[in-house]
Amino acid sequence: MLLDINRYSFTTYKKELSALATLALPMLLSQIAQVGTGFVDTVMAGSVSIDDLSAVGLGNSLFITIYITLMGVMTALNPMVAQAYGSSKKGDTPAHAIGELGRQGVWYGVVMGLIGMALMWLAILPFEMYFSHLSPRTLATTADYLWFIGFAMPAAMIHRALHAYASSLNKPKVIMIVSWLCFFINIALNYVFVYGKFGMPALGGAGCGLATAIVFWLNAMILGVYIAKDKYFYEFGLTDKFSLPNIKLFGDITRLGVPIGLSFFIEVSLFSVIIFLVAQLGGDGTHSTENFISAQQIVISITSLIFMIPQSMGIASTVRVGMALGQRQPAKARYISGVAIFTAVGVSFLTALFLVVGRHALAGMYTDDLAVIAISGSLILFAAAFQLVDAVQCVASYALRGYKVTTIPMLIHAIAFWGCGLLPGYVLAFYVGMGIYGFWTALVVSLAVAGALLLWYLERHSKDKILAMR
């Protein structure tokens, strides 16, 4: 059967599922806290005005595109640390080598963060020119939002390095605790900066960007201090000494990470480009451009929260697969992949039902604008339709990263998301007259193609790995 899922007893399945869940649940909760920051931004900006909500939607789309792409590059640290950890358990790799990998990961995060900050700031003027047809308030708020949130990038990448280090060493709970602490701090800071409390100016949607930047720095610093002080991490020696950047190791991270980053970019750019194109569609005579942009942002916020479930299972599979391969157990790695995918598929049926039943209530949490709620409710039905295939493509791609396979998934994502999603969606939206719904129709198709191809390749590669390691 696919990925040998029926090879072992149900007792074995439950045991492996328990091991995956032990990793995935804390990471799910931490991911929810991090994505919840975007939820809070959207709700608070929407409470100010449609212009502020649109500005946060546009600015956040650019931030998320750059952040997710660079985070994908940083994700290379997960299989590298996990395989080194698995190898150390067999005595093949000294524990202090893992600490050095962690130090180089932090240096690499600094470099990626500075690049991300520069990209955010360089995009402000082109943004203002491209969206010049929008209201002056929307444009001004978007520019301020981008400026503020640019400061978050270095901290965000340092945090991702520490996140990979802790999670790959089987300590995901600390990430969860720190993420939720920062989530509540973000709510308080949003309240201060968005509405102008305690003598601060009312920045509206731009205040969300400032609050997010502060929270990312707190997140990185608190997680770093925790790792430095926790006795569990002492044997790996992350803070035992100071290391200069290692160009060779940077090259190893880059070779593994760039294809992952491009995969992330291909996927997230599909959503980001859609919101930019929606802004160019204009109104339909009944609804304004801002109505469609706001609805798009609301549904992206909801689906991002839902996506955390298969993503957390996927991250756990990367770690578990990497550890199994580090211990030279390829058959176990293949079975772990199967357990992760089949579990995610089962959960996806529940999330689809939840979206269908609660679509209007969910949209109503963000705004009381009836036009925006109506559009959002229709788009959420498309999101419900792709839950199963999105779960498959997500977990399969993460499992392949555990095998340190990144180039083929990147190519599959390019074919699926751009070739079967963005381009057909553009045709359906602008030339067939389907508008925003044309993009979402193509999105469902693209995720189905990605899921089928990635699952096929994981099935094939995991078999080949067993033969190669005999």
Side-chain angles (χ1 to χ4, degrees), residues 388-423:
L388 187 150
V389 289
D390 196 25
V392 171
Q393 73 85 21
C394 174
V395 179
S397 62
Y398 271 98
L400 283 166
R401 288 165 198 152
Y403 283 94
K404 291 187 176 180
V405 174
T406 58
T407 301
I408 296 298
M410 177 196 70
L411 295 175
I412 289 174
H413 279 140
I415 292 169
F417 295 143
W418 287 350
C420 302
L422 186 58
L423 295 178

Side-chain angles (χ1 to χ4, degrees), residues 254-335:
T254 300
R255 280 188 291 273
L256 184 61
V258 166
I260 302 176
L262 289 174
S263 286
F264 278 32
F265 170 76
I266 290 164
E267 182 171 3
V268 74
S269 68
L270 177 62
F271 292 92
S272 297
V273 171
I274 286 174
I275 197 171
F276 299 152
L277 292 174
V278 166
Q280 294 298 318
L281 275 171
D284 61 0
T286 302
H287 305 105
S288 67
T289 302
E290 281 78 8
N291 287 154
F292 284 111
I293 294 174
S294 298
Q296 178 77 9
Q297 174 62 15
I298 286 171
V299 181
I300 292 301
S301 176
I302 293 170
T303 54
S304 295
L305 284 167
I306 296 291
F307 183 70
M308 294 304 99
I309 299 174
Q311 186 179 51
S312 299
M313 183 61 74
I315 295 171
S317 72
T318 297
V319 174
R320 295 285 298 163
V321 167
M323 288 177 61
L325 293 174
Q327 295 172 327
R328 300 189 63 80
Q329 296 178 312
K332 182 179 180 180
R334 175 177 164 84
Y335 184 68

